Amino acid sequence: MCDTCGCGHGDGVTIRKPGEKNNGEHNHEHIHTHSHDHDHKDKTHAHEHTHHHSHTHDHDHSHEHGVYTHTHDNDHHHHHEGHAHDHHHANHNHSHGKEIEVEQDILGKNNLLAERNRGYFEAKNILALNLVSSPGSGKTSLLERTIKDLGKEIKFYVIEGDQQTMNDANRIDKAGAPVVQINTGNGCHLDSDMVNKAVKELEVENNSVLMIENVGNLICPSLFDLGEAARVVIMSVTEGDDKPIKYPTMFQSSDICIINKTDLLPYVDFDMEKAKQYAMQVNHHLQFFELSIKTGEGMETWYEWLKEKIKEK
């Protein structure tokens, strides 16, 4: 389990090209400090009791366990088989600080490898873009159209991230770009280690563009640097104009904001200016592209930005 966001990160991760059989798994090492389920958010517990009991804590959560081991530092009350007693530091050493340490450790390791990825991309003159959005905003469609329209003048490579299926990788393959699919299993985001392995599988050439389509999720992917040169967040007019302030971390960490499905504006309650104002509240450096992948309206401005970004490399 990923102790940063709580997903089943690293469990059953596979990296495949279209047409390849799922013969093996690419495993990733992650810190696991939690081996059972209960309803509170603490993730770093060591337990040491062998009898069934329930207990309540001063920090506002309660749970029941069967056989387990438990250590706590907090003052709390235990109720055992009809009697109650108080403990104060009596063989209980519960440290909430460990949760923060584990999260920092995971992100620190991820960021270290992300910088290595970034250095590799820069050395080979590869423009790496991290595409993020909610499910259904149009990430894969954007890649398909971009590859079809610019594929003759720009060499594209694509990493697709989804929990399951090869569907998106197959679509990109048909569009004409080399692609690998990362299936994250129970994980809800890509990390720099997955990208590092996928790049080796893809054999990305010098002077090219690497498009990384992250798992459809506006929360967890915002925390994980992949080594990209820019992060592109995509939202659609069907999602509501307050998306940027509902999920501020993703918009804070992005460089580009694409607002897709503008062809549907006459049919939905969406205020374009309000959406951009909300986004600017959390990140005043954002650059916006309003477009419709379906009709092609506004795609030229996206293409111009992409070509200019390549020249900067």
Side-chain angles (χ1 to χ4, degrees):
M1 178 179 289
C2 173
D3 291 280
T4 300
C5 66
C7 74
H9 190 52
D11 300 332
V13 174
T14 62
I15 302 174
R16 286 186 290 160
K17 294 179 179 179
E20 287 183 349
K21 293 182 179 179
N22 186 10
N23 291 325
E25 292 186 349
H26 297 252
N27 297 317
H28 305 269
E29 293 184 3
H30 295 273
I31 299 172
H32 298 268
T33 59
H34 207 263
S35 60
H36 57 277
D37 295 326
H38 43 77
D39 292 334
H40 64 80
K41 295 182 180 178
D42 299 306
K43 301 172 185 173
T44 55
H45 295 276
H47 294 282
E48 198 157 358
H49 290 293
T50 58
H51 50 278
H52 183 80
H53 69 277
S54 65
H55 52 274
T56 61
H57 302 265
D58 290 342
H59 44 279
D60 295 326
H61 59 267
S62 63
H63 46 277
E64 294 189 0
H65 298 279
V67 178
Y68 61 92
T69 63
H70 201 86
T71 63
H72 280 285
D73 243 351
N74 306 62
D75 296 339
H76 54 280
H77 308 283
H78 282 248
H79 302 275
H80 296 268
E81 303 295 335
H83 66 276
H85 54 275
D86 295 341
H87 294 276
H88 180 66
H89 301 294
N91 298 323
H92 294 274
N93 185 16
H94 183 112
S95 176
H96 291 283
K98 290 182 181 179
E99 181 177 342
I100 298 173
E101 291 173 6
V102 168
E103 178 176 333
Q104 289 176 338
D105 188 44
I106 291 173
L107 291 177
K109 289 180 179 180
N110 179 82
N111 291 342
L112 180 61
L113 185 51
E115 285 303 321
R116 292 178 183 173
N117 289 347
R118 187 171 286 110
Y120 176 82
F121 297 148
E122 291 176 355
K124 293 176 69 69
N125 199 33
I126 297 168
L127 174 63
L129 301 179
N130 182 6
L131 275 59
V132 293
S133 79
S134 301
S137 295
K139 296 187 301 297
T140 311
S141 297
L142 178 70
L143 289 177
E144 284 179 307
R145 180 139 195 168
T146 301
I147 291 165
K148 289 175 181 177
D149 290 349
L150 300 182
K152 291 183 179 179
E153 52 184 303
I154 299 172
K155 182 65 175 177
F156 289 102
Y157 291 84
V158 178
I159 295 173
E160 284 289 341
D162 285 298
Q163 286 191 310
Q164 299 293 342
T165 83
M166 293 289 294
N167 292 354
D168 287 354
N170 290 334
R171 287 172 60 181
I172 297 302
D173 184 51
K174 289 180 180 179
V179 58
V180 293
Q181 177 77 56
I182 301 176
N183 286 140
T184 59
N186 292 326
C188 59
H189 57 84
L190 299 181
D191 65 19
S192 57
D193 183 53
M194 296 178 194
V195 169
N196 184 275
K197 288 178 169 62
V199 167
K200 293 175 183 176
E201 189 81 12
L202 259 181
E203 299 179 334
V204 181
E205 295 179 2
N206 294 4
N207 307 308
S208 59
V209 174
L210 174 64
M211 297 287 202
I212 306 167
E213 181 181 339
N214 218 313
V215 179
N217 180 350
L218 281 177
I219 303 172
C220 306
S222 66
L223 302 175
F224 288 82
D225 182 8
L226 306 180
E228 68 266 24
R231 182 173 291 179
V232 181
V233 61
I234 302 165
M235 60 182 290
S236 68
V237 302
T238 57
E239 298 175 60
D241 47 36
D242 59 351
K243 184 73 71 172
I245 55 174
K246 283 184 174 180
Y247 303 93
T249 307
M250 183 60 82
F251 287 83
Q252 286 171 351
S253 63
S254 295
D255 304 283
I256 300 296
C257 178
I258 291 177
I259 303 177
N260 184 30
K261 305 184 182 180
T262 54
D263 55 301
L264 297 180
L265 279 172
Y267 313 104
V268 295
D269 185 14
F270 183 91
D271 188 323
M272 183 67 72
E273 292 308 311
K274 185 181 289 186
K276 291 195 286 187
Q277 287 173 9
Y278 283 145
M280 292 291 282
Q281 285 179 23
V282 298
N283 182 358
H284 65 275
H285 296 293
L286 272 175
Q287 184 174 350
F288 297 92
F289 296 101
E290 304 167 27
L291 54 82
S292 168
I293 298 167
K294 184 177 181 64
T295 67
E297 179 185 6
M299 291 295 291
E300 277 302 321
T301 56
W302 159 246
Y303 295 158
E304 289 171 8
W305 177 86
L306 192 55
K307 291 175 185 177
E308 191 61 34
K309 198 72 176 175
I310 293 170
K311 288 180 183 178
E312 292 176 8
K313 299 294 289 181

